[in-house]
Amino acid sequence: MRRTVHAGAIGYYVSRIAEQGLVGLGFVAGMPNTGYTGVRGAAVARRAAGLGVTPPDVVPSPG
């Protein structure tokens, strides 16, 4: 994805991958877009990561 402002749904995609019996990895890194008290301009970037793995006792769903 490019030029996105929110990627909080990354967990949804890795869980869908895990449902197929695969390992899903998702990482998001962005430019600083959030400020905090006392700072002029954006200073903090939000970074998310997702990991989806099918537990050994779960049968993967058919594609």
Side-chain angles (χ1 to χ4, degrees):
M1 292 189 297
R2 292 182 182 192
R3 302 185 195 282
T4 183
V5 294
H6 182 66
I10 195 75
Y12 168 78
Y13 296 105
V14 296
S15 65
R16 292 292 308 267
I17 292 168
E19 289 172 0
Q20 302 303 312
L22 303 170
V23 175
L25 297 172
F27 299 94
V28 178
M31 299 295 293
N33 59 3
T34 306
Y36 52 90
T37 304
V39 175
R40 294 182 184 176
V44 179
R46 297 180 180 145
R47 291 172 175 80
L51 170 64
V53 181
T54 304
D57 60 336
V58 174
V59 177
S61 61

